[in-house]
Amino acid sequence: MIYYRIKDIELKIHGRIDNALDVVPLLANGHGIEVNVTGSQLWADVEADYEDYEPWAAIEVNGSLTSRFMVDKGRQRICLFKGRSPEKITRVKFYRELQAMSEDAKTCIVIRGLWTDGGFKGPPTYEHKLEFVGDSISSGEGTYGAREDTDWIASCMSYSRTYINLIGHELNAECRVISQGGWGVFSGWDNDRRHAIPSIYEQICGLAGCTGDKYGAGRAHDFASWVPDAILINLGTNDREGFNQPPFKDPDTGEFYKLNTAPDGSFVGEDIELIKSAVVDFLKMVRRDNPASHIVWLYGMLGYDLSLTLADALNRYKAETGDGNVAYLQLPATNEKTVGSNGHPGYEAHKIAAEILVDYLKEHI
Amino acid sequence: MIYYRIKDIELKIHGRIDNALDVVPLLANGHGIEVNVTGSQLWADVEADYEDYEPWAAIEVNGSLTSRFMVDKGRQRICLFKGRSPEKITRVKFYRELQAMSEDAKTCIVIRGLWTDGGFKGPPTYEHKLEFVGDSISSGEGTYGAREDTDWIASCMSYSRTYINLIGHELNAECRVISQGGWGVFSGWDNDRRHAIPSIYEQICGLAGCTGDKYGAGRAHDFASWVPDAILINLGTNDREGFNQPPFKDPDTGEFYKLNTAPDGSFVGEDIELIKSAVVDFLKMVRRDNPASHIVWLYGMLGYDLSLTLADALNRYKAETGDGNVAYLQLPATNEKTVGSNGHPGYEAHKIAAEILVDYLKEHI
Amino acid sequence: MIYYRIKDIELKIHGRIDNALDVVPLLANGHGIEVNVTGSQLWADVEADYEDYEPWAAIEVNGSLTSRFMVDKGRQRICLFKGRSPEKITRVKFYRELQAMSEDAKTCIVIRGLWTDGGFKGPPTYEHKLEFVGDSISSGEGTYGAREDTDWIASCMSYSRTYINLIGHELNAECRVISQGGWGVFSGWDNDRRHAIPSIYEQICGLAGCTGDKYGAGRAHDFASWVPDAILINLGTNDREGFNQPPFKDPDTGEFYKLNTAPDGSFVGEDIELIKSAVVDFLKMVRRDNPASHIVWLYGMLGYDLSLTLADALNRYKAETGDGNVAYLQLPATNEKTVGSNGHPGYEAHKIAAEILVDYLKEHI
Amino acid sequence: MIYYRIKDIELKIHGRIDNALDVVPLLANGHGIEVNVTGSQLWADVEADYEDYEPWAAIEVNGSLTSRFMVDKGRQRICLFKGRSPEKITRVKFYRELQAMSEDAKTCIVIRGLWTDGGFKGPPTYEHKLEFVGDSISSGEGTYGAREDTDWIASCMSYSRTYINLIGHELNAECRVISQGGWGVFSGWDNDRRHAIPSIYEQICGLAGCTGDKYGAGRAHDFASWVPDAILINLGTNDREGFNQPPFKDPDTGEFYKLNTAPDGSFVGEDIELIKSAVVDFLKMVRRDNPASHIVWLYGMLGYDLSLTLADALNRYKAETGDGNVAYLQLPATNEKTVGSNGHPGYEAHKIAAEILVDYLKEHI
């Protein structure tokens, strides 16, 4: 086998990753590389690290998942396939399952090169580009693991079994996802206002303050470099949870924050207003960054309580901007047959969501 | 067998029907009678009529559909079951499949009495009451018939295969439906503003101007007599179609009506406003009539285009009234796998909608 | 509408029915007529009768079931469709759901003619011919009715929801079925040896001693007139039941008959031998009558206990005759998810069987 | 974390593995270890090797697959889980996906010990014991990989997605499997008569001549040590293929072997007889080794051509021995919807087979 440095390979890089690097750092879920290659085998030269939350990865060969595994610390070679007819072209995707982890500044997978006895035949191509923005649902929490598993652990999250990956396969679409479990459009599940997805939407590759920093995480993304046909924002579930949770004390300012319910259990209007404003502002940001993309707000896989709030914000955004290229799409709530680990949508729930979205996207992109 | 006149039988009457009558007229879809009875057989004494659109009926025995058929003109006896163990209690429901037909003033099924060799054991009971308000989707258009069937005919409509009947079985809920194919909340599919469901919502048993008149159709419904746990309004699909259709000339006034699209294909704002106002007004009417019921607006089985419009109207209604007992629930669009006859949701689409609504209602009623 | 006598209509007659008659008697399950017709409506001129077991019928329009109902006594007109675009060709099948009933000498549906405002456009054509031979499974017992229904009644049987009808639709095959609930290849479920399907296999249209007699039931069938691509024999389930049942006293001879189990619960060898001989003899009969047809013995939908017995008989038949055009195919046993009324295979079980058989037949006919 | 040598751990060993060893060698598909353990994490001390065919393994935590991956050469630690609540008991199974590989004398995974910060809480228990004997179907060939994949490679085989694993989960049964792709009951797919499963059935842990030798592979299995409730033999598919293939030259003897078809395409009787004799002899061996187990012969997932041959052999075995505790069960053939990679049954086909077998076994064990 011959060793090829990343820069010498015609490959497709999945995710908002700095193309100028000599390596490919997989900093978030769905980040990966994909190649068309001849030869009987293909191996990756990988370096990984973590402190508390180990990174997970998956391999798809010719569009089918063959492997899914934790990547341990250290420099290592990982077999992407072996034993295949060398004259045929094999399409291989190696990608990160785990979202960017703010809880672990070290979590990282870096691809340095590939070995093969064959040759690279140009990167795979796609008919569409789709961008997904979300929370734990889009980070695939619940798509692996037993129903009785209730720990928040890396192995229960995935990209492989999300609606995102299913849609990508069905529509031959290159998909990117910016998602953080527990985050919202305005504030996180625990009322932490720092955990708002808009704060990271315009950055490349995941969260600042992590290993990713040395690979450019947190730098401004060049939106002109990759124009999605549609952007699907699946946020609101954690904002809603804030109404149930106790106040959050901001460790920097000492201030307490909470979304409040009235004595009758209804959401307090001015707190709903905070969410709506955040939605409107985020839509303006997304539109500014992506003038031509169809934008769809998704909601419902873990409950419908903010349906009208989100819809109202979308209407306000449309009224304020005149932008008609925005839609609202509700997805069926996860039930006892479709739930996965940790009370989150399981693989079956993601299949149902994917089917609805595939139908929708076929008519709109 | 002994003959029992309707007034002498302990039966459950399904539908908004005048209980003071000596007969049970089945004036709309879902109207019917249900009994618990011993004996080996049960027959119905029925009189039916029609001019152009023949009425259809169905029989469920012990919760399972055994028969579905056109009811021809004239006085006739219809077998509801035969040959069963006489000592067991058999639960039987005989109901109309076809919606009230404004196109045919004669369409009618009237039940005058029952014959049995057993005895009536008290009417069946239900745990819940649900009211559905809708259009052709709720009239079951498309739930029977081949995909290539494109005629608007009575046999392609049903109550038996609708999401309504499926939900009723799953939740042990007594269901009523007020629906008219082609009608909207503001105007009909062809821009006919007379075809707005609110105009008939407060009446009993179907449309005025029909055979039903002599059975009280069009009289005011006594809302205190039957208080639903939830009211599900599945309207908007035909209002949206009006934007695609030519102007409608009102035969009474000579005026032309149409919902208009702008040159760029978007819906004209003031016409959208007409729909929103109709939604708000209808919600106020429904709430006035049903102070305690949970109200859910359903939409999406034939397209999502008015999602934000409807949601905006719901929000406005909530803001104007402070009523928090109202929700919006989107249902998946029918696709090529779930479509039925005449381009309408097929039985598979209704099953999917029912599953989502059963999950929802389990938590809200 | 114009009235057409049966002899004046180009129609497809389903079932082994005497073509020389002036009427079409529907003497058994699957017997029916099928036409291609223009016009807005089509009605049948029908005469029916019964003493204890009322006949049931179904209507399929353009391949889709629209109606299923009991046919009451007397001369009557039955609407097959109404309100369709008159210029289109509509394909209509009207057929009997209920098997021939030895328990009721009067059960009968006779079609005398058709009314239409259109014209007949030549009978529908099929790509294949399939003949099914069976017992209650093939008579569709259990395909209608609730799971708690345990009476043996006409309404719980059908042709419409059997694997036979499903296969016919999937393969565009004209299907005939000769089946009797409770009958076996050697003896009936209650050890009644008169209830062996081979005794009626070579006759036309159902059972002797019934109303059918005047329409030729019991006369020799002309096998050259309709050569099936395959013959599927689904027998053995009732023979097996005989081992569980008490002896049967033949009312004619006073002799007692029973298939016996040994003290350890196993089937007594010589009684198994009786079944095997019956299978071998029946296969010889079927082959003699149908020299070119592929023959498949089906078994298993209600238990696998006689699998090896049946297979042994098939092997013996092959060894004795050298006939290699015979196969054995086991079908999955009905389970609690797929069971229907009266402990019999439900619609779901029939769908599963049909899918397996469609796969098989695609490769063998 | 503390390191525990294998001998110091209360664990369940899956597969016929020499219990006296200081390590657990995973020599074939389904071989593995399983523990109940507290603690936040569990790691395995593993040594692996291969020449051409790399071993694959899988991890199930609390009954759910979390990871599946190739095991590379060398001594390594493999994380079985991480980050879980330390006070809870976690059930973990680590097992080999790949069958014993006669083509690679080095393929091996050896477990030497475990690290954990918790404690072992006694081995998991099962309600049943089931033994499966088979070929590539039971080795899970086709359960991973894309449909267009046609190479015979390790990654396309599994234990995790086989009907065996599915049945084990559904019935809470400890399952063992002795299977070799390409092997038959009499001869292999290529007419190689050395590739007959009976030749290895009585040995422990896989094939002789491999790395396994040093771990006792090929030594006599102690059948008294593990008495299965049922033994399911899924063989015959490769024997049938021999009729299609050219003669095989035995490299040791120079003799040619082939199963022959007659000019009319039928199987030559004396060659069928070879298969039947092999079946009878194998059944005698299995019965001698397992006097009390229910034995079921399975067949059909890749075609039904030998149904009657196999059934005949079972009948002969029963006649010769009087053994009534033997059954024949046919499984549905894989179709275009259920096929996996390399023309073999895919995951969907295994699910269907499992459902049928679970129903069967519920009544027979």
Side-chain angles (χ1 to χ4, degrees):
Chain A
M1 289 193 294
I2 295 172
Y3 184 78
Y4 297 83
R5 288 174 305 175
I6 282 295
K7 299 305 290 181
D8 299 332
I9 305 168
E10 285 188 296
L11 47 65
K12 156 81 55 186
I13 293 180
H14 287 279
R16 290 185 189 167
I17 298 174
D18 185 346
N19 283 322
L21 296 170
D22 289 332
V23 297
V24 179
L26 308 185
L27 300 170
N29 41 331
H31 286 195
I33 59 166
E34 190 173 15
V35 293
N36 285 316
V37 63
T38 57
S40 73
Q41 51 189 313
L42 181 71
W43 296 71
D45 176 15
V46 169
E47 190 163 13
D49 200 8
Y50 69 90
E51 185 82 32
D52 293 318
Y53 292 95
E54 75 283 4
W56 284 68
I59 302 165
E60 293 182 10
V61 182
N62 292 332
S64 181
L65 184 88
T66 55
S67 188
R68 179 191 191 260
F69 53 95
M70 164 185 167
V71 183
D72 207 352
K73 296 172 187 177
R75 186 87 174 250
Q76 57 201 285
R77 62 171 203 165
I78 292 174
C79 182
L80 302 187
F81 70 82
K82 248 189 103 289
R84 291 183 178 256
S85 301
E87 72 285 2
K88 286 193 204 156
I89 294 177
T90 301
R91 178 171 176 163
V92 186
K93 185 176 175 186
F94 173 58
Y95 59 89
R96 174 162 162 157
E97 289 275 84
L98 183 68
Q99 67 171 20
M101 295 300 277
S102 60
E103 294 78 359
D104 188 338
K106 284 193 167 174
T107 303
C108 189
I109 301 172
V110 176
I111 307 173
R112 301 195 161 281
L114 297 173
W115 292 270
T116 184
D117 55 357
F120 296 99
K121 296 297 176 188
T125 55
Y126 289 91
E127 290 174 62
H128 298 289
K129 289 187 179 69
L130 298 173
E131 185 177 83
F132 294 81
V133 182
D135 49 32
S136 58
I137 298 170
S138 300
S139 288
E141 187 175 350
T143 57
Y144 281 90
R147 285 190 185 172
E148 67 260 36
D149 290 346
T150 53
D151 290 313
W152 191 75
I153 50 180
S155 64
C156 288
M157 301 180 218
S158 86
Y159 177 80
S160 57
R161 287 187 178 171
T162 57
Y163 67 108
I164 301 167
N165 194 29
L166 294 169
I167 291 167
H169 280 289
E170 196 67 33
L171 295 180
N172 191 22
E174 186 187 347
C175 296
R176 292 182 173 181
V177 52
I178 295 98
S179 65
Q180 274 292 303
W183 289 38
V185 61
F186 170 68
S187 62
W189 71 279
D190 56 354
N191 287 302
D192 187 343
R193 297 190 181 182
R194 300 168 306 172
H195 290 168
I197 291 290
S199 69
I200 59 167
Y201 175 72
E202 294 183 309
Q203 306 168 2
I204 65 167
C205 46
L207 301 162
C210 301
T211 320
D213 288 2
K214 66 176 137 182
Y215 303 109
R219 281 222 306 267
H221 174 55
D222 173 15
F223 285 91
S225 68
W226 196 84
V227 178
D229 300 304
I231 298 167
L232 298 100
I233 306 171
N234 193 345
L235 285 173
T237 298
N238 287 303
D239 300 277
R240 187 257 169 273
E241 180 63 16
F243 289 97
N244 285 352
Q245 297 297 323
F248 178 83
K249 181 180 179 182
D250 189 309
D252 301 327
T253 66
E255 272 193 273
F256 284 87
Y257 294 112
K258 177 171 168 41
L259 297 173
N260 298 289
T261 50
D264 69 353
S266 67
F267 304 139
V268 167
E270 59 196 73
D271 289 350
I272 284 291
E273 180 58 31
L274 291 172
I275 296 173
K276 288 181 186 174
S277 294
V279 170
V280 172
D281 290 346
F282 186 38
L283 286 168
K284 289 176 179 170
M285 175 193 288
V286 172
R287 173 58 72 222
R288 187 174 63 238
D289 295 333
N290 307 274
S293 306
H294 182 56
I295 299 175
V296 192
W297 200 287
L298 308 177
Y299 183 64
M301 288 174 75
L302 284 173
Y304 309 120
D305 289 346
L306 289 193
S307 297
L308 287 173
T309 298
L310 295 168
D312 196 44
L314 267 82
N315 277 312
R316 191 189 300 175
Y317 164 77
K318 289 180 72 171
E320 288 184 13
T321 62
D323 180 1
N325 198 11
V326 178
Y328 173 73
L329 188 54
Q330 214 169 284
L331 297 169
T334 297
N335 63 24
E336 58 187 14
K337 283 190 294 185
T338 62
V339 72
S341 61
N342 214 2
H344 273 68
Y347 192 19
E348 293 306 314
H350 280 264
K351 285 180 188 170
I352 290 169
E355 186 169 351
I356 292 169
L357 286 165
V358 163
D359 285 341
Y360 178 84
L361 291 167
K362 274 180 182 168
E363 296 196 353
H364 290 85
I365 62 173
Chain B
M1 289 194 294
I2 296 172
Y3 183 77
Y4 298 83
R5 287 174 306 173
I6 282 295
K7 297 307 289 180
D8 299 331
I9 305 168
E10 286 188 295
L11 47 65
K12 157 79 59 187
I13 292 180
H14 288 278
R16 290 185 188 168
I17 297 175
D18 185 347
N19 282 322
L21 296 170
D22 289 331
V23 298
V24 179
L26 308 184
L27 300 170
N29 41 330
H31 286 195
I33 60 165
E34 190 173 15
V35 293
N36 285 316
V37 62
T38 57
S40 72
Q41 52 189 311
L42 182 69
W43 295 73
D45 175 15
V46 169
E47 189 164 12
D49 199 9
Y50 68 90
E51 182 83 32
D52 292 320
Y53 292 96
E54 74 284 4
W56 283 68
I59 303 165
E60 293 183 10
V61 182
N62 292 331
S64 181
L65 184 88
T66 54
S67 188
R68 176 189 194 262
F69 52 97
M70 165 185 166
V71 184
D72 207 352
K73 296 172 188 177
R75 188 87 174 251
Q76 57 200 286
R77 61 172 206 169
I78 292 176
C79 182
L80 302 187
F81 70 81
K82 247 189 102 292
R84 291 184 177 255
S85 301
E87 71 285 1
K88 286 194 205 155
I89 293 178
T90 301
R91 178 172 176 162
V92 187
K93 185 177 176 187
F94 173 57
Y95 58 90
R96 174 163 161 157
E97 290 274 83
L98 183 69
Q99 68 172 18
M101 295 300 278
S102 59
E103 294 80 357
D104 187 339
K106 284 195 169 171
T107 303
C108 188
I109 301 174
V110 176
I111 308 174
R112 302 197 161 277
L114 297 173
W115 291 269
T116 183
D117 54 358
F120 296 99
K121 297 296 176 187
T125 55
Y126 289 91
E127 292 174 59
H128 297 290
K129 290 187 179 70
L130 298 173
E131 185 176 85
F132 294 81
V133 182
D135 49 31
S136 58
I137 298 171
S138 299
S139 289
E141 186 175 351
T143 58
Y144 281 89
R147 286 192 185 171
E148 66 261 35
D149 289 346
T150 53
D151 290 313
W152 192 76
I153 50 180
S155 64
C156 287
M157 301 180 218
S158 86
Y159 177 79
S160 58
R161 287 188 177 170
T162 57
Y163 67 107
I164 301 167
N165 194 30
L166 294 169
I167 290 167
H169 280 290
E170 197 67 34
L171 296 179
N172 190 22
E174 185 187 348
C175 295
R176 291 183 173 181
V177 52
I178 296 99
S179 63
Q180 274 293 305
W183 288 38
V185 60
F186 170 68
S187 61
W189 72 278
D190 56 354
N191 287 302
D192 187 343
R193 297 189 180 184
R194 299 167 305 172
H195 290 167
I197 291 289
S199 68
I200 59 167
Y201 175 72
E202 295 183 311
Q203 307 169 2
I204 64 168
C205 45
L207 301 164
C210 301
T211 319
D213 288 1
K214 66 177 136 181
Y215 303 108
R219 283 222 304 265
H221 174 56
D222 172 15
F223 285 92
S225 66
W226 196 86
V227 178
D229 301 304
I231 298 166
L232 299 100
I233 305 170
N234 194 344
L235 286 172
T237 299
N238 287 303
D239 300 278
R240 186 258 170 271
E241 180 63 15
F243 290 98
N244 285 352
Q245 298 296 324
F248 178 84
K249 182 180 178 181
D250 188 308
D252 300 327
T253 66
E255 272 193 271
F256 284 88
Y257 294 113
K258 177 172 168 39
L259 297 172
N260 297 290
T261 49
D264 69 354
S266 67
F267 304 140
V268 167
E270 59 195 75
D271 289 348
I272 284 291
E273 181 58 30
L274 290 172
I275 296 173
K276 288 181 185 175
S277 295
V279 170
V280 172
D281 290 346
F282 186 39
L283 287 167
K284 288 176 180 171
M285 173 193 289
V286 172
R287 173 57 73 222
R288 188 173 61 236
D289 295 333
N290 308 274
S293 306
H294 182 56
I295 299 175
V296 193
W297 200 285
L298 309 177
Y299 183 64
M301 288 174 74
L302 283 174
Y304 309 119
D305 289 345
L306 289 193
S307 296
L308 287 173
T309 297
L310 295 169
D312 197 44
L314 267 81
N315 276 312
R316 191 189 301 174
Y317 164 77
K318 290 179 72 171
E320 288 183 14
T321 63
D323 179 1
N325 198 12
V326 177
Y328 174 74
L329 188 53
Q330 214 169 283
L331 296 169
T334 297
N335 63 24
E336 58 187 15
K337 284 191 294 186
T338 62
V339 72
S341 60
N342 214 2
H344 274 68
Y347 192 20
E348 293 307 314
H350 280 264
K351 286 180 187 169
I352 290 168
E355 185 169 351
I356 292 169
L357 286 166
V358 163
D359 285 341
Y360 178 86
L361 291 168
K362 275 181 181 166
E363 297 196 352
H364 290 85
I365 62 172
Chain C
M1 290 192 294
I2 296 173
Y3 184 76
Y4 298 83
R5 285 174 306 171
I6 283 295
K7 298 305 290 180
D8 298 332
I9 304 166
E10 283 188 298
L11 46 65
K12 157 80 57 186
I13 294 179
H14 287 279
R16 291 185 190 168
I17 296 175
D18 185 346
N19 282 322
L21 296 169
D22 288 333
V23 297
V24 179
L26 307 185
L27 300 170
N29 42 329
H31 285 196
I33 60 165
E34 190 172 15
V35 293
N36 284 316
V37 63
T38 57
S40 73
Q41 52 188 314
L42 181 70
W43 296 72
D45 175 14
V46 169
E47 189 163 12
D49 199 8
Y50 69 89
E51 183 81 35
D52 293 318
Y53 292 96
E54 75 282 5
W56 284 69
I59 302 165
E60 293 182 8
V61 182
N62 291 333
S64 183
L65 185 88
T66 54
S67 188
R68 179 191 190 259
F69 53 96
M70 167 184 163
V71 184
D72 206 352
K73 296 173 191 177
R75 188 88 175 249
Q76 57 200 286
R77 60 171 205 169
I78 293 175
C79 181
L80 302 187
F81 71 80
K82 248 190 103 289
R84 290 182 178 257
S85 301
E87 71 285 2
K88 285 194 205 156
I89 293 178
T90 301
R91 178 172 177 163
V92 186
K93 186 177 175 186
F94 173 57
Y95 58 89
R96 175 163 162 156
E97 290 274 85
L98 182 69
Q99 67 172 20
M101 295 300 275
S102 60
E103 294 78 359
D104 188 338
K106 283 194 170 173
T107 303
C108 189
I109 301 174
V110 176
I111 308 173
R112 301 195 162 278
L114 297 173
W115 290 271
T116 184
D117 55 357
F120 297 98
K121 296 297 177 187
T125 55
Y126 288 92
E127 290 174 61
H128 298 290
K129 289 187 179 70
L130 298 173
E131 185 177 84
F132 294 80
V133 182
D135 49 31
S136 59
I137 299 170
S138 299
S139 289
E141 186 175 351
T143 57
Y144 281 89
R147 284 190 188 175
E148 66 261 35
D149 290 346
T150 53
D151 291 312
W152 191 77
I153 49 179
S155 64
C156 287
M157 302 181 219
S158 86
Y159 177 81
S160 58
R161 287 187 177 171
T162 58
Y163 67 108
I164 300 168
N165 195 29
L166 295 169
I167 291 167
H169 279 290
E170 196 67 34
L171 295 179
N172 190 23
E174 185 187 346
C175 295
R176 292 182 173 180
V177 53
I178 295 100
S179 65
Q180 273 294 303
W183 289 37
V185 59
F186 171 67
S187 62
W189 71 278
D190 56 355
N191 287 301
D192 187 344
R193 296 191 181 181
R194 299 168 306 174
H195 290 169
I197 291 290
S199 69
I200 58 166
Y201 176 71
E202 294 183 310
Q203 306 169 2
I204 64 166
C205 46
L207 300 163
C210 301
T211 320
D213 288 1
K214 67 176 138 181
Y215 302 110
R219 280 222 308 266
H221 175 56
D222 173 15
F223 284 92
S225 67
W226 196 84
V227 179
D229 299 305
I231 299 166
L232 298 100
I233 306 170
N234 194 345
L235 285 173
T237 298
N238 288 302
D239 300 278
R240 187 257 169 274
E241 181 63 15
F243 289 98
N244 285 353
Q245 298 297 322
F248 178 83
K249 183 179 176 181
D250 188 308
D252 301 326
T253 66
E255 272 192 273
F256 284 88
Y257 294 112
K258 176 172 169 39
L259 297 173
N260 297 290
T261 50
D264 68 353
S266 67
F267 304 140
V268 167
E270 59 196 77
D271 288 350
I272 285 291
E273 179 58 31
L274 290 171
I275 297 173
K276 289 182 185 174
S277 293
V279 170
V280 172
D281 290 346
F282 186 39
L283 287 168
K284 287 176 180 171
M285 175 194 286
V286 173
R287 175 57 73 222
R288 189 175 57 238
D289 294 334
N290 307 275
S293 305
H294 183 54
I295 299 174
V296 193
W297 200 286
L298 308 177
Y299 183 64
M301 288 174 76
L302 283 172
Y304 309 119
D305 290 345
L306 288 193
S307 297
L308 287 173
T309 298
L310 295 169
D312 196 44
L314 267 82
N315 277 311
R316 191 188 299 173
Y317 164 77
K318 290 179 72 171
E320 287 183 15
T321 63
D323 180 1
N325 197 12
V326 177
Y328 173 74
L329 189 53
Q330 216 168 281
L331 297 169
T334 297
N335 62 25
E336 58 188 13
K337 284 191 293 185
T338 62
V339 73
S341 60
N342 213 1
H344 274 67
Y347 192 20
E348 293 307 312
H350 280 265
K351 284 180 187 168
I352 290 169
E355 185 168 353
I356 292 170
L357 285 165
V358 163
D359 286 342
Y360 178 85
L361 290 168
K362 274 181 182 167
E363 296 196 352
H364 289 87
I365 62 173
Chain D
M1 290 192 293
I2 296 173
Y3 184 77
Y4 298 83
R5 286 172 307 171
I6 282 295
K7 298 305 289 181
D8 299 331
I9 306 167
E10 284 189 296
L11 47 65
K12 157 79 57 186
I13 294 181
H14 287 280
R16 291 184 189 169
I17 296 174
D18 185 347
N19 281 323
L21 296 169
D22 289 333
V23 298
V24 179
L26 308 184
L27 300 169
N29 42 329
H31 285 195
I33 61 166
E34 190 173 16
V35 293
N36 284 316
V37 64
T38 58
S40 73
Q41 52 188 312
L42 181 71
W43 296 72
D45 176 16
V46 169
E47 189 163 13
D49 201 8
Y50 68 90
E51 184 81 35
D52 293 318
Y53 292 96
E54 75 283 3
W56 284 68
I59 302 165
E60 293 182 11
V61 182
N62 292 333
S64 182
L65 185 88
T66 54
S67 188
R68 178 190 192 260
F69 52 96
M70 167 185 163
V71 184
D72 207 352
K73 296 172 189 178
R75 188 87 175 248
Q76 57 200 288
R77 62 170 203 167
I78 293 175
C79 182
L80 303 188
F81 70 81
K82 249 190 103 291
R84 289 181 179 257
S85 301
E87 71 286 0
K88 285 194 204 156
I89 294 178
T90 301
R91 180 172 176 163
V92 186
K93 186 176 175 186
F94 173 57
Y95 59 88
R96 173 161 162 158
E97 289 274 85
L98 183 68
Q99 67 171 21
M101 296 299 277
S102 60
E103 293 78 1
D104 187 337
K106 284 192 168 175
T107 302
C108 189
I109 301 173
V110 176
I111 308 173
R112 300 195 162 279
L114 297 173
W115 291 269
T116 184
D117 55 358
F120 296 98
K121 297 297 177 188
T125 55
Y126 289 91
E127 291 174 61
H128 297 290
K129 290 188 178 71
L130 298 173
E131 185 177 85
F132 294 81
V133 182
D135 48 32
S136 58
I137 298 170
S138 299
S139 289
E141 185 174 352
T143 58
Y144 281 89
R147 285 193 184 169
E148 67 261 35
D149 290 345
T150 52
D151 290 312
W152 191 76
I153 51 179
S155 64
C156 288
M157 301 181 220
S158 87
Y159 176 80
S160 58
R161 287 187 179 172
T162 58
Y163 66 108
I164 301 168
N165 194 31
L166 295 169
I167 291 167
H169 281 288
E170 196 67 34
L171 296 179
N172 191 21
E174 184 187 348
C175 296
R176 292 183 172 180
V177 53
I178 295 98
S179 65
Q180 275 293 305
W183 289 38
V185 59
F186 170 69
S187 62
W189 71 279
D190 56 354
N191 287 302
D192 186 344
R193 296 190 180 181
R194 299 167 307 173
H195 290 168
I197 291 289
S199 69
I200 60 167
Y201 175 72
E202 294 183 310
Q203 305 168 4
I204 64 167
C205 47
L207 301 164
C210 300
T211 321
D213 288 1
K214 67 177 137 181
Y215 302 109
R219 280 223 306 266
H221 174 56
D222 173 16
F223 284 92
S225 67
W226 197 84
V227 178
D229 300 305
I231 299 166
L232 298 99
I233 306 170
N234 193 344
L235 286 173
T237 298
N238 287 303
D239 300 278
R240 187 260 169 272
E241 180 63 16
F243 290 97
N244 285 353
Q245 298 296 323
F248 178 82
K249 182 180 179 181
D250 188 309
D252 301 326
T253 65
E255 272 192 273
F256 284 88
Y257 294 112
K258 175 171 171 38
L259 296 172
N260 297 289
T261 49
D264 68 353
S266 66
F267 303 141
V268 168
E270 59 195 77
D271 289 349
I272 284 291
E273 180 57 32
L274 290 170
I275 296 172
K276 288 182 185 174
S277 294
V279 170
V280 172
D281 290 346
F282 187 39
L283 286 168
K284 288 176 179 172
M285 174 193 287
V286 172
R287 173 58 72 220
R288 188 173 61 239
D289 296 334
N290 307 275
S293 305
H294 182 55
I295 300 174
V296 193
W297 200 286
L298 308 176
Y299 184 64
M301 288 174 75
L302 283 174
Y304 308 119
D305 290 345
L306 288 193
S307 296
L308 287 173
T309 297
L310 296 168
D312 196 44
L314 266 83
N315 277 313
R316 191 189 299 174
Y317 164 77
K318 290 180 72 172
E320 287 183 15
T321 62
D323 180 2
N325 198 12
V326 178
Y328 173 74
L329 189 53
Q330 214 169 283
L331 298 169
T334 298
N335 62 25
E336 59 187 14
K337 285 191 293 187
T338 62
V339 72
S341 62
N342 214 2
H344 274 68
Y347 193 19
E348 293 306 313
H350 279 264
K351 284 179 187 170
I352 290 169
E355 185 169 352
I356 292 170
L357 285 165
V358 163
D359 286 340
Y360 178 86
L361 290 168
K362 274 181 181 167
E363 296 196 352
H364 289 85
I365 61 171

